[in-house]
């Protein structure tokens, strides 16, 4: 399986707690970030077992920031890492970290797993994610637990929040302006990927609205007619979409 199957048998005495199927998701989502130094933040330190793992995973020279509400977690700081104490539910604390260490290429939320915290952290930190960076939220099964602010189809859960991101990403295309206005998130969100218990949001700072291409005999004709016609009316309104 690559890095993690090699690392796990060599792990040290600090406890690492992850669900077994997460490692394959890390391989798939994070391998592209290993080629050069990156800025990484993990929310949730606990017994400190993830610090040496991420330190070895990412390239030398990376900035590795870990946060936890428990002051005892400061003791888990190792060379080349920064452990900061504060709550992920505190936007001012997160803003101060973004000022000091940001922008971040990868943010991993493995903190309280409370839905209001997951949403508050995402909203505070998403603007501080780099172009093509990824924001991962773990243990999203807590969205199905009322005690964590979730419950089946509870609109306040992080899973339901993430499902709404899909609508927001597509808000270029709406012709239902009153019901579904354009949302600026469409300019910055490239993908929302749902795994079992993990949601990954990938950023892409789009300079232009989506463009359709008509390609024939090696000639490429770009068009945004489908969006601009009828004031960004739905591309699906006309069958030819142009
Ligand atoms: C699941 S553990 C983290 C596990 C660790 N990432 C690992 O891989 O071994 C969750 C951690 O989140 C911390 N936590 C709980 N509430 C928090 C909050 N509001 N802000 C930041 N951290 C919090 C807990 O103190 C705990 O250490």
């Amino acid at each position: 399986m690559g890095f993690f199957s090699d690392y796990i048998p060599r792990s040290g005495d600090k406890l690492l707690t992850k669900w077994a199927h997460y490692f394959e998701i890390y391989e798939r989502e994070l391998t592209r970030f290993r080629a050069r130094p990156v800025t990484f933040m993990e929310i949730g330190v606990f017994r400190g077992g993830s610090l040496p793992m991420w330190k070895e995973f990412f390239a030398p020279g990376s900035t590795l920031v870990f946060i936890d509400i428990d002051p005892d977690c400061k003791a888990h700081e190792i060379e080349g890492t920064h452990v900061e104490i504060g709550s992920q539910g505190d936007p001012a604390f997160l803003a101060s970290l973004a000022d000091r260490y940001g922008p971040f290429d990868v943010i991993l939320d493995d903190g309280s797993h409370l839905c209001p915290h997951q949403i508050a952290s995402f909203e505070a930190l998403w603007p501080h994610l780099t172009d093509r960076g990824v924001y991962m939220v773990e243990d999203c099964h807590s969205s199905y637990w009322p005690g964590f602010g979730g419950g089946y189809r509870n609109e306040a859960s992080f899973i339901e929040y993430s499902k709404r991101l899909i609508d927001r990403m597509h808000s270029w295309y709406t012709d239902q302006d009153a019901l579904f206005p354009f949302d600026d998130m469409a300019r910055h969100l490239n993908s929302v990927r749902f795994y079992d218990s993990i949601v990954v949001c990938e950023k892409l700072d789009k300079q232009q609205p989506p463009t359709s291409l008509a390609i024939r005999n090696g000639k490429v004709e770009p068009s945004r007619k489908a969006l601009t016609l009828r004031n960004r009316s739905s591309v699906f309104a006309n069958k030819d979409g142009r």
Side-chain angles (χ1 to χ4, degrees), residues 177-197:
D177 286 334
L179 183 66
F180 179 31
F182 181 74
D183 188 310
D184 195 59
M185 183 57 95
R187 295 187 202 279
H188 306 286
L189 183 57
N190 193 36
S191 172
V192 184
R193 300 191 276 272
F194 287 85
Y195 296 89
D196 178 336
S197 302

Side-chain angles (χ1 to χ4, degrees), residues 40-43 65 67 87-99 101-109 117-130 134-137 161 185 203:
F40 167 80
M41 175 193 277
E42 182 172 25
I43 302 172
V65 184
I67 76 169
S87 174
Q88 70 172 124
D90 176 358
F93 169 64
L94 298 179
S96 73
L97 296 181
D99 277 354
Y101 300 110
F104 301 96
D105 299 293
V106 177
I107 297 173
L108 178 58
D109 181 349
H117 281 171
Q118 291 169 329
I119 294 170
S121 301
F122 179 84
E123 293 196 339
L125 293 171
W126 173 258
H128 303 287
L129 197 66
T130 56
V134 293
Y135 193 108
M136 302 178 69
V137 182
Y161 178 88
M185 183 57 95
K203 197 163 191 182

Side-chain angles (χ1 to χ4, degrees), residues 9 40 58 62 82 121 132 159 188 193 203-204 220 236:
F40 167 80
F58 290 112
S62 293
H82 307 270
S121 301
R132 298 274 180 191
I159 286 281
H188 306 286
R193 300 191 276 272
K203 197 163 191 182
L204 177 65
V220 179
F236 306 112

